[in-house]
């Protein structure tokens, strides 16, 4: 495939018509209050667009067969008319976006408006505040390092190890970038403040007693001494345990503590770094696409469209927001929620009085003419992610207005059919799909389980059992990295189980109790 750096160098910037169009769309975006990084548009043909998309929007990535597979799939899908990539935009500063050559002028207007919505979201949403805005350079450097490892150790060796790591790249802690390490409690004996520590030690193991004259009977000296000795022993075990508390950043733990060669540890670090970069985009898919759709709709319908372009625009926009049975289109649900929030805050449909109103007719006609809608959606854009966005604003009124249902497959016909209209069930299913991206919560529990160097993981059960084939494949990948047996505590069929892979076979045993965080 052609190097994307050559493509960008040869593009020479935008043609005059598109350059004028960008200036026009940027003026509209600024007028509506969008706050963006500088945006650099690059026109590319559909082959180069598929190449960039296969690389997740970046000109250069580390060499791996999956990128070629993605490119081939996208190219054939486009060739046969099954899909079309209108735009790609990267969360960097400046913000790079790609325009498909051959698009109509209406499509280019829509794409530019959409990109400015994305760029505003990238810059201002709190979940993007920790991302590296120079990721194009970082990924290019990562690619150079991986190529050097392939030259030294062989393409198959390095690519096989990347395969293993890619099967684990979701095992990261989404809240790690926000955690204030300085705010963590100091280990026992290192706090620098003797008073509280001494007080805590004096109270260790002491039973609550409100009658002072019974103190000698309730807390005899020998009982207090035994309790303190027991606590001291537990503290010593906890101090030596690795990790001291369950650690959700499994990939980071493996990078630091697994017996890896230097090049292997570096590759784990590369994939972990890229996973954390893409994490906010996964956390805010509905909000991000909804925000961009909201603004391309606002800019196009109120400012940019000519009368003779309305039909073409409506045709393109309707395809973006179409949603079939059992599907969750982030463009559709995102833009409708922003519009719903804007209308509610414009009409004052919030607060104690509105929430306590039980009359559907009165709620429907409620209008205090506050005009706070625009201010509210900008606030939501800044503070929320998909889970909190839907948890707070996906209300029963919205669910009813948008005609949401739950679907179930008819085993006789194989088709999806409406199962019910229960708001609680609909919302619970949506939040379950979004919580941790529908993936299990996995923690590192003990790096020296049973004092034999075995890695013990814990699955925080959320009501859904692990998929057996996924669990087995993940344990095999973990064993390849840890190079010792790996076990996983979980719940299967309401029973606590431990699944273990020792390098040759998978075994399962009962456990006295389930893993808890």
């Amino acid at each position: 495939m052609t190097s994307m750096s050559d493509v960008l160098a040869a593009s020479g910037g935008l043609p005059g018509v598109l350059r004028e169009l960008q200036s026009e769309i940027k003026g509209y975006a600024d007028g509506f209050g969008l706050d963006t990084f500088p945006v650099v548009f690059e026109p590319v043909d559909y082959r180069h667009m598929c190449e960039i998309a296969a690389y997740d929007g970046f000109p250069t990535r580390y060499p791996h067969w999956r990128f070629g597979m993605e490119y081939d799939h996208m190219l054939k899908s486009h060739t046969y008319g099954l899909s079309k990539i209108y735009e790609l935009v990267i969360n960097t500063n400046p913000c790079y976006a790609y325009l498909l050559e051959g698009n109509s002028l209406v499509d280019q207007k829509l794409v530019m408006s959409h990109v400015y919505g994305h760029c505003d979201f990238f810059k201002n949403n709190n979940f993007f505040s920790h991302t590296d805005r120079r990721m194009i350079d970082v990924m290019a450097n990562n690619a150079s390092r991986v190529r050097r490892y392939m030259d030294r150790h062989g393409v198959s060796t390095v690519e096989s190890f990347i395969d293993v790591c890619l099967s684990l790249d979701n095992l990261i802690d989404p809240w790690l970038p926000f955690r204030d390490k300085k705010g963590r409690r100091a280990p026992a004996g290192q706090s620098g403040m003797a008073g509280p520590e001494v007080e805590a030690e004096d109270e260790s193991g002491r039973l609550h007693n409100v009658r002072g004259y019974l103190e000698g009977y309730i807390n005899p000296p020998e009982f207090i001494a035994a309790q303190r000795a027991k606590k001291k022993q537990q503290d010593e075990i906890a101090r030596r345990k690795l990790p001291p508390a369950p650690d959700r950043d499994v990939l980071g733990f493996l990078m630091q503590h697994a017996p890896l060669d230097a090049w292997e540890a570096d590759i784990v670090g590369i994939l972990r770094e890229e996973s954390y970069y893409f994490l906010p985009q996964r956390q805010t898919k509905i909000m991000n696409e909804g925000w961009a759709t909201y603004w391309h709709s606002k800019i196009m319908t109120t400012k940019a469209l000519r009368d003779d372009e309305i039909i073409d625009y409506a045709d393109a926009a309707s395809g973006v927001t179409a949603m079939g049975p059992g599907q969750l289109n982030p463009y559709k649900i995102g833009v409708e929620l922003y519009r719903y929030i804007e209308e509610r805050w414009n009409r004052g449909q919030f607060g104690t009085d509105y929430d306590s109103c039980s009359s559907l007719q009165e709620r429907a006609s409620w209008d205090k003419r506050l005009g706070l809608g625009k201010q509210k959606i900008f606030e939501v854009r800044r503070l929320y992610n998909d889970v909190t966005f839907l948890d707070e604003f996906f209300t029963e009124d919205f669910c009813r207005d948008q005609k949401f249902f739950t679907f179930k497959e008819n085993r006789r016909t194989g088709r999806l059919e409406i199962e019910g209209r229960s708001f609680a069930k609909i919302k619970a299913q949506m939040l379950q799909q979004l919580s941790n991206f529908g993936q299990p919560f996995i923690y590192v529990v003990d790096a020296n389980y049973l004092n034999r160097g075995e890695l013990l993981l814990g699955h925080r059960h959320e009501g859904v059992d692990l998929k057996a084939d996924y669990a087995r494949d993940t344990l095999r990948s973990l064993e390849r990295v840890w190079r010792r047996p790996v076990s996983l505590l979980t719940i299967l069929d309401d029973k606590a189980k431990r699944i273990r892979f020792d390098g040759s076979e998978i075994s399962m045993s009962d456990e006295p109790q389930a893993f808890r965080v």
Side-chain angles (χ1 to χ4, degrees), residues 306-365:
R306 299 195 311 263
D307 292 346
D308 61 339
E309 296 173 332
I310 292 176
I311 299 300
D312 292 334
Y313 164 74
D315 181 54
S318 62
V320 170
T321 56
M323 188 163 65
Q327 296 178 342
L328 188 64
N329 185 336
Y331 298 84
K332 173 66 173 177
I333 189 172
V335 69
E336 294 297 347
L337 266 174
Y338 280 119
R339 289 168 178 164
Y340 174 66
I341 294 167
E342 184 178 31
E343 182 182 14
R344 282 183 59 193
W345 262 258
N346 278 337
R347 300 174 63 179
Q349 294 178 335
F350 60 91
T352 305
D353 293 341
Y354 180 76
D355 292 339
S356 61
C357 179
S358 58
S359 170
L360 291 178
Q361 182 177 359
E362 188 177 344
R363 288 168 70 94
S365 60

Side-chain angles (χ1 to χ4, degrees), residues 267-331:
I267 284 180
V268 173
I270 287 172
L271 297 183
R272 176 176 176 267
E273 180 182 36
E274 295 187 4
S275 291
Y276 274 109
Y277 170 80
F278 288 114
L279 177 65
Q281 298 179 46
R282 299 171 65 199
Q283 290 175 313
T284 60
K285 178 70 173 178
I286 292 173
M287 288 190 67
N288 198 345
E289 296 296 356
W291 186 252
T293 304
Y294 175 93
W295 285 110
H296 86 227
S297 176
K298 178 77 74 174
I299 291 172
M300 293 293 283
T301 57
T302 63
K303 299 290 185 181
L305 276 180
R306 299 195 311 263
D307 292 346
D308 61 339
E309 296 173 332
I310 292 176
I311 299 300
D312 292 334
Y313 164 74
D315 181 54
S318 62
V320 170
T321 56
M323 188 163 65
Q327 296 178 342
L328 188 64
N329 185 336
Y331 298 84

Side-chain angles (χ1 to χ4, degrees), residues 467-482:
K467 293 183 178 180
D469 53 342
Y470 283 34
R472 288 193 295 266
D473 290 344
T474 302
L475 286 176
R476 289 190 178 96
S477 297
L478 285 165
E479 191 274 339
R480 163 67 180 86
V481 176
W482 190 250

Side-chain angles (χ1 to χ4, degrees), residues 459 461 466 488-492 495-499 514-515:
H459 168 218
H461 200 271
L466 292 175
L488 174 66
L489 299 175
T490 186
I491 296 176
L492 296 174
K495 295 180 180 178
K497 299 286 186 178
R498 180 165 65 92
I499 309 173
F515 169 72

Side-chain angles (χ1 to χ4, degrees), residues 222-485:
E222 58 275 12
F223 171 77
I224 296 298
Q227 292 298 308
R228 287 177 179 168
K230 181 180 178 181
K231 184 177 184 302
K232 185 177 180 180
Q233 184 181 14
Q234 292 174 343
D235 290 344
E236 181 63 21
I237 294 174
R239 187 181 64 82
R240 291 181 297 176
K241 185 180 178 183
L242 184 68
D247 189 352
R248 193 170 167 187
D249 185 14
V250 179
L251 213 57
F253 185 87
L254 294 174
M255 179 182 68
Q256 291 182 337
H257 302 289
L260 298 171
D261 294 337
W263 69 270
E264 293 175 318
D266 190 30
I267 284 180
V268 173
I270 287 172
L271 297 183
R272 176 176 176 267
E273 180 182 36
E274 295 187 4
S275 291
Y276 274 109
Y277 170 80
F278 288 114
L279 177 65
Q281 298 179 46
R282 299 171 65 199
Q283 290 175 313
T284 60
K285 178 70 173 178
I286 292 173
M287 288 190 67
N288 198 345
E289 296 296 356
W291 186 252
T293 304
Y294 175 93
W295 285 110
H296 86 227
S297 176
K298 178 77 74 174
I299 291 172
M300 293 293 283
T301 57
T302 63
K303 299 290 185 181
L305 276 180
R306 299 195 311 263
D307 292 346
D308 61 339
E309 296 173 332
I310 292 176
I311 299 300
D312 292 334
Y313 164 74
D315 181 54
S318 62
V320 170
T321 56
M323 188 163 65
Q327 296 178 342
L328 188 64
N329 185 336
Y331 298 84
K332 173 66 173 177
I333 189 172
V335 69
E336 294 297 347
L337 266 174
Y338 280 119
R339 289 168 178 164
Y340 174 66
I341 294 167
E342 184 178 31
E343 182 182 14
R344 282 183 59 193
W345 262 258
N346 278 337
R347 300 174 63 179
Q349 294 178 335
F350 60 91
T352 305
D353 293 341
Y354 180 76
D355 292 339
S356 61
C357 179
S358 58
S359 170
L360 291 178
Q361 182 177 359
E362 188 177 344
R363 288 168 70 94
S365 60
W366 191 290
D367 191 356
K368 293 186 176 181
R369 304 181 186 275
L370 298 183
L372 298 175
K374 183 178 179 181
Q375 176 184 334
K376 183 62 179 180
I377 61 172
F378 272 88
E379 176 189 304
V380 169
R381 172 267 273 147
R382 181 170 57 89
L383 298 176
Y384 288 75
N385 65 14
D386 284 349
V387 174
T388 56
F389 183 54
L390 266 69
D391 188 38
E392 181 160 348
F393 300 111
F394 188 87
T395 64
E396 189 167 1
D397 292 337
F398 179 81
C399 183
R400 188 188 309 110
D401 292 342
Q402 295 296 318
K403 298 180 175 59
F404 275 88
F405 309 101
T406 53
F407 293 87
K408 187 177 182 180
E409 183 181 359
N410 185 319
R411 293 186 177 181
R412 184 175 61 84
T413 64
R415 297 178 179 178
L416 288 174
E417 297 179 353
I418 293 176
E419 179 188 28
R421 296 174 173 85
S422 169
F423 166 69
K425 189 172 183 180
I426 293 168
K427 187 169 183 177
Q429 284 188 3
M430 294 180 67
L431 291 176
Q432 187 177 50
Q433 292 179 45
L434 295 173
S435 296
N436 201 39
F437 320 112
Q439 298 169 350
F441 294 81
I442 305 296
Y443 296 78
V444 178
V445 179
D446 193 349
N448 189 26
Y449 182 56
L450 300 179
N451 200 31
R452 56 190 183 194
E454 185 170 319
L455 181 66
L456 179 67
L457 304 172
H459 168 218
R460 195 182 86 194
H461 200 271
E462 298 289 331
V464 179
D465 291 355
L466 292 175
K467 293 183 178 180
D469 53 342
Y470 283 34
R472 288 193 295 266
D473 290 344
T474 302
L475 286 176
R476 289 190 178 96
S477 297
L478 285 165
E479 191 274 339
R480 163 67 180 86
V481 176
W482 190 250
R483 297 174 182 171
R484 297 283 298 169

Side-chain angles (χ1 to χ4, degrees), residues 475-476 479 484-487 499-506:
L475 286 176
R476 289 190 178 96
E479 191 274 339
R484 297 283 298 169
V486 180
S487 292
I499 309 173
R500 183 173 185 268
F501 181 63
D502 61 3
S504 59
E505 63 178 359
I506 296 282

